[in-house]
Amino acid sequence: MSELKEYPRRDSERSSNSATNDKLKGLEREQLEAGINPLVADLPPDPDAHLSAGERATIDRRLLWKLDLALIPWLCVLYLLSFLDRTNIGNAKIVGLQQSLGSPGHPLSAGAYNAALSIFFVSYSLFEPLTNVLLKRLTPKLFIPIIMVLWGLIMTLMGFVYNWSGLMAARWFLGLAEAGLFPGVNYYLSCWYRRSEFGIRAAIFFSAAAVSGSFGGLLAAAIEKMVGLGGRPGWAWIFILEGILTVLFGFASFWAVQNFPDKATFLSEVDRARVIRRLKMDQQSSAEHEEFKVQYVTSALKDYKMWLGMMIYMGCDMPLYAFSLFLPTIISQMGYTATKAQLLTVPPYACAAVLTITVGYIADRTRQRGLCNIFVSLIGIAGFAILLGSEKPHIKYAGTFLGALGIYPCISNTISWVSNNIEGVYKRGVVLGFVIGWGNLNGIVSSNIYRTGPKFTSGHSTVMVYMIVCLLGGSIAMRTLLARENKKRLTGQRDHWTRGMSHREAEKLGDKRPDFIYTL
């Protein structure tokens, strides 16, 4: 017969125990005596208990496919629109935005244009850490459509600005409205899938950013031909039409976006029980309701994994924005016309989308997210070294491929890595908000480093430093520390953390539980 493993406490600790905890421990003893594992005793009844292992596996695959179809495609479209709306200013730049918004005979200076890029990241980053708490409180079905409609309207109105002040105001409010989508959706997906399933979904979701780069170049090349229509220049129609498209999808999202697992209406009661059981068995509390407490914020702030995650993410996020905002300019400086430069931005993004999904799949299967970051970052470093060292347009264009391949997969892989290693509904939300917010704040840097072409020495050098020190160095440091901690947990050196606790008390420790093994 199994026995409840409970370690002795000091008398002062025992006297502080509530009657509720004593009852819980008594219940656990009764469950053990009855042959029930208290770790899973609070799960919903297993609707498939009478089935064979093969039949259960078939049902699980069907359930996973049902979740994927209900969640992933629509969220990918939303992020494609989000990334398109924040980076299309790069496409607008090479078709006359600076000339239109400057004074007669004096186009906007590079500094004024870069300030318009930077102000987006200020509002975006300031609001981002709060968004996951709002998402949890308001529910995804309300929060995501509302922010989409808002930023779509702002994007549309950006097509009607007539000076630099108007552009600055529009970019500030665009950052404010868009701040909730990327951290919110990553947090939302982590509440639906097992840790070994999350990476490939996050990669597919983020690959929409690379697709938006391809789509944005094609779309801009077509839309700019509308120059003069309605008295607006071609660059204005890029903002107007893409903004209207976002508004339409925002309204549709009130019906298309689902809530968290315990409230999702597209699931039957039986399927909902299956989802909650598979999350609980994966040692995730994401399946159940949790009230917000300030201690979740303080716990996040004290966790070194959050700070290292911020360092790693800034090492790929700043290069991401530098690449996305300035790729049309970099290519046009190679001597190509504006339209051809728009079209030449498509292939690097398409290749990056494929590798992003491939790395997500490999990382899920091997659970070696740190090694994936390390090896992929080396590709990007090589790409920017080529851009920095070569004068030949075709070789520099090849460097843009390697740059994209080395940046995009690391974004989704880093988010998955951090999410896998943080447990607790609100704590994970806070950590992801800070990690993604800090990475996006470094977008200010990306907006101000590409000043003098065609070589862009300062821009490419800064990107390389970020990738070598923060992305590569941070990934090595994180993996080393997590491997060391896993070794201590597997050898029992952390068992004293739960001494004297019931299983339910230990579960509240989240990723501090001695049996919680980190993903490397």
Side-chain angles (χ1 to χ4, degrees):
M1 183 185 297
S2 301
E3 293 183 2
L4 179 67
K5 187 176 181 180
E6 183 175 347
Y7 298 93
R9 293 184 180 180
R10 297 190 302 269
D11 290 339
S12 60
E13 292 176 319
R14 286 188 177 278
S15 63
S16 65
N17 284 340
S18 65
T20 301
N21 286 338
D22 290 337
K23 288 179 181 178
L24 287 174
K25 291 176 189 172
L27 176 61
E28 287 176 354
R29 290 191 180 91
E30 293 174 7
Q31 290 166 347
L32 282 166
E33 290 170 1
I36 302 171
N37 184 350
L39 285 173
V40 298
D42 58 344
L43 291 176
D46 186 355
D48 306 315
H50 61 288
L51 301 178
S52 68
E55 291 171 323
R56 292 166 69 94
T58 300
I59 289 175
D60 194 61
R61 284 195 298 270
R62 288 175 181 169
L63 176 62
L64 202 57
W65 182 240
K66 183 177 184 178
L67 298 182
D68 288 343
L69 288 178
L71 303 175
I72 304 299
W74 191 260
L75 294 175
C76 284
V77 172
L78 301 192
Y79 191 57
L80 184 151
L81 293 172
S82 169
F83 209 80
L84 192 65
D85 289 345
R86 80 180 66 167
T87 58
N88 57 14
I89 191 172
N91 300 105
K93 178 189 176 185
I94 65 173
V95 290
L97 178 142
Q98 286 178 279
Q99 288 73 20
S100 295
L101 298 185
S103 57
H106 299 283
L108 282 183
S109 66
Y113 173 77
N114 290 340
L117 299 183
S118 300
I119 199 168
F120 170 91
F121 296 107
V122 175
S123 58
Y124 191 102
S125 304
L126 289 176
F127 191 59
E128 208 162 24
L130 306 174
T131 56
N132 282 345
V133 176
L134 288 175
L135 175 70
K136 182 69 177 173
R137 300 293 288 270
L138 294 178
T139 74
K141 203 168 185 66
L142 285 178
F143 181 75
I144 291 175
I146 287 172
I147 64 172
M148 280 203 69
V149 171
L150 288 175
W151 97 59
L153 289 172
I154 295 164
M155 186 80 258
T156 304
L157 293 174
M158 198 186 302
F160 295 95
V161 300
Y162 288 89
N163 53 42
W164 178 73
S165 299
L167 181 65
M168 289 287 283
R171 291 285 294 178
W172 165 269
F173 286 109
L174 183 66
L176 196 68
E178 278 203 42
L181 187 73
F182 186 63
V185 170
N186 277 286
Y187 166 58
Y188 170 66
L189 289 178
S190 74
C191 295
W192 276 97
Y193 294 99
R194 292 171 178 162
R195 288 186 289 165
S196 61
E197 299 164 344
F198 176 56
I200 182 65
R201 274 85 188 173
I204 292 171
F205 168 67
F206 182 70
S207 68
V211 173
S212 80
S214 299
F215 181 65
L218 292 171
L219 197 60
I223 295 175
E224 68 180 68
K225 302 300 182 184
M226 297 174 66
V227 58
L229 185 65
R232 302 303 298 148
W235 63 263
W237 283 107
I238 293 175
F239 296 151
I240 294 167
L241 293 184
E242 292 178 7
I244 291 172
L245 187 64
T246 299
V247 171
L248 294 176
F249 274 90
F251 279 116
S253 295
F254 282 105
W255 291 271
V257 172
Q258 307 295 331
N259 271 326
F260 288 109
D262 58 338
K263 300 291 184 183
T265 56
F266 77 100
L267 294 175
S268 65
E269 288 297 327
V270 171
D271 280 343
R272 187 177 293 113
R274 288 171 176 146
V275 171
I276 292 174
R277 284 183 64 86
R278 69 200 310 274
L279 289 172
K280 292 284 288 182
M281 296 297 288
D282 194 43
Q283 296 182 322
Q284 291 194 53
S285 60
S286 308
E288 50 189 30
H289 180 72
E290 182 179 85
E291 294 293 338
F292 176 74
K293 297 178 183 177
V294 176
Q295 73 185 59
Y296 299 133
V297 178
T298 57
S299 176
L301 293 173
K302 293 177 182 178
D303 195 328
Y304 75 89
K305 299 190 298 297
M306 185 185 87
W307 299 103
L308 265 179
M310 291 165 67
M311 176 182 177
I312 296 168
Y313 193 68
M314 70 184 274
C316 51
D317 207 34
M318 191 286 283
L320 168 75
Y321 285 117
F323 189 86
S324 302
L325 291 169
F326 289 95
L327 182 60
T329 302
I330 292 169
I331 294 177
S332 66
Q333 289 286 324
M334 294 178 188
Y336 298 105
T337 63
T339 300
K340 189 168 184 180
Q342 303 276 29
L343 296 175
L344 286 174
T345 64
V346 175
Y349 286 122
C351 293
V354 173
L355 186 62
T356 297
I357 296 172
T358 303
V359 169
Y361 178 83
I362 293 171
D364 272 357
R365 292 297 177 271
T366 63
R367 298 180 69 85
Q368 294 291 334
R369 302 197 188 282
L371 289 181
C372 287
N373 257 15
I374 290 167
F375 288 120
V376 171
S377 67
L378 294 173
I379 299 174
I381 292 166
F384 280 94
I386 290 173
L387 285 168
L388 192 61
S390 177
E391 298 288 346
K392 298 180 179 179
H394 290 89
I395 294 178
K396 292 175 74 172
Y397 185 55
T400 66
F401 277 82
L402 295 181
L405 292 173
I407 294 170
Y408 277 83
C410 291
I411 296 286
S412 56
N413 189 57
T414 299
I415 294 301
S416 300
W417 195 15
V418 172
S419 180
N420 281 177
N421 292 323
I422 302 293
E423 182 47 39
V425 176
Y426 276 109
K427 181 184 176 183
R428 185 190 301 143
V430 171
V431 168
L432 287 178
F434 271 95
V435 168
I436 297 172
W438 175 248
N440 284 312
L441 189 61
N442 281 268
I444 297 172
V445 178
S446 70
S447 304
N448 292 279
I449 55 177
Y450 282 91
R451 292 184 175 274
T452 54
K455 194 167 183 180
F456 296 111
T457 302
S458 62
H460 297 327
S461 299
T462 305
V463 168
M464 282 187 67
V465 169
Y466 264 72
M467 295 189 74
I468 293 170
V469 176
C470 300
L471 177 56
L472 179 59
S475 296
I476 292 172
M478 175 82 96
R479 192 184 187 282
T480 301
L481 292 173
L482 292 179
R484 184 182 302 170
E485 180 61 29
N486 278 352
K487 184 177 180 181
K488 291 180 179 180
R489 295 185 179 194
L490 291 170
T491 55
Q493 297 179 51
R494 300 303 195 198
D495 287 352
H496 64 278
W497 285 354
T498 54
R499 194 164 291 164
M501 290 184 177
S502 70
H503 287 290
R504 285 173 177 80
E505 288 175 317
E507 191 176 47
K508 292 179 180 178
L509 293 176
D511 52 89
K512 285 290 187 180
R513 288 170 53 180
D515 62 342
F516 187 97
I517 303 303
Y518 291 122
T519 299
L520 301 180

